[in-house]
Amino acid sequence: MKKWLIQHPEFLENNLYIGGGSYSGIPVPMVIQHLSDNREGGGSPPLNLKLRGYVLGNPITDSHIDRNARIPFAHGFALISDRLYQSAKANCNGDYVNAEAISRQCELNVQKMEELLRHKNSEHILEPNCPYIQLPRGENSTLQRSLMENPTDFLSRLGETLYHCSEMLLLSEIWANDRDVRAALHLREGTKGPWKRCNRTALAFTKVVNSTVAYHRNLSMTGLRALIYRVAASYVGTQQWINSLNLTLDDDWRAWYTDGQWTSFWWYTESYINGDFALTHATVKGAGHVPPTYKTKQCYAMAKRWFAYYQL
C-alpha cells in the first residue's frame, strides 16, 4: 500500500479507510495499528496518511470466542435442542472449545452438537450446503462467451445444482478471470494464475495470531472510527469481544431500515464511543458470511450512511 501511494501521490489527500471481511479480521486491525502508530507511513518523503478508520464484515477476531459462540448461535436457530444445549451449558461451564479437558460429559455433549451441525452451510445456514465450484481448465472462456452471447438464458443452462446453489460464486470466478478485467486491474501477464474465490490449498502461511481483541482495544484509544457488521443471527461472539473493550454506549440497540420500515425489519445497530473513538456495530438480516453478496442494496446503504457520518 505504501508503494502504491508513493507511485500515486494524488490520492494522499483522500481520507483513508481500510476494510476487510472474514479472516481479514486478523490482519486488518494489525495493519491499522501499525499505520496509526506511524502516520507518516515510513515513506521518503513522509506520506502523512489521513487515516480515518476501518470497516470489518463478519470478522474473525478471537479463535476461542468465535468458536465458542457457534453453540449459542446454533441453539438460537433451533439447530440443536434446548435439552442438549442446557446440558452442555451446565457440563461445560459455557466453554465448548476445551470440552475434552473439562469433563467426559461435556465432551459427549459437544460431540453430539458437532454431529448435528456437520451438514449445515457454514456460510449461510438458511441456504443449501453448496460445494465450492472450480471451473475445469479451459471452461472459463467458454462460459464467458456463453454469458455474453445469451445472458438471459445463461444461468438456467448451468443445471439445477449450479443455478439454485452457487450461481453467484460461479459468476464471480468468470468475471475475475476475464482478460479485460485482469487488464483493467493492471495484472502483469504471467505474474498471477487463475483467481479462485476461496483458495484453501495454496496459501502457505503459519497462523501466529489467534486474537486481535488487544489491537481493537489499542485502537479504541485513538480518534479513529470503526464499523463492524455481520449477519444478524451470528452476532454473539462479536458482541462479547466488543463488550470486553469497555466502551461507553452512545446509541442503544435499535432497528435500522432501507426503503421504509416494513421492507427491512430486523436489522439492528448500536454505537459506542471512547473519547474521539467511535465504533458502530451493525447486523444485516438474511445475509450469509459475506453480507454484500446476499444483501447488496442494504450493505451499500449501511456503508454510504456510515462514511457520510449519518446514523444507520
Side-chain angles (χ1 to χ4, degrees), residues 210-224:
N210 294 316
S211 174
T212 53
V213 174
Y215 289 90
H216 286 284
R217 186 171 293 111
N218 292 339
L219 293 173
S220 72
M221 305 298 177
T222 68
L224 299 177

Side-chain angles (χ1 to χ4, degrees), residues 71-80 124-126 231-234 266 286:
I71 301 304
F73 156 71
H75 172 250
F77 261 77
L79 301 179
I80 55 178
H124 196 323
I125 64 166
L126 301 179
V231 181
S234 60
W266 276 15

Side-chain angles (χ1 to χ4, degrees), residues 238-311:
T238 301
Q239 187 70 71
Q240 184 177 342
W241 68 257
I242 288 178
N243 287 341
S244 75
L245 301 180
N246 294 319
L247 305 174
T248 300
L249 183 65
D250 184 52
D251 185 16
D252 206 351
W253 192 260
R254 61 173 176 79
W256 66 278
Y257 310 102
T258 58
D259 297 331
Q261 177 173 350
W262 303 110
T263 59
S264 299
F265 189 58
W266 276 15
W267 296 326
Y268 291 94
T269 181
E270 58 188 351
S271 299
Y272 300 85
I273 56 173
N274 184 37
D276 292 330
F277 176 80
L279 184 150
T280 298
H281 174 213
T283 64
V284 183
K285 177 191 173 187
H289 182 61
V290 184
T293 301
Y294 300 89
K295 297 294 180 181
T296 306
K297 180 178 181 180
Q298 291 78 9
C299 288
Y300 173 75
M302 172 185 65
K304 184 178 181 180
R305 294 173 193 175
W306 185 79
F307 281 118
Y309 289 78
Y310 293 153
Q311 280 192 330

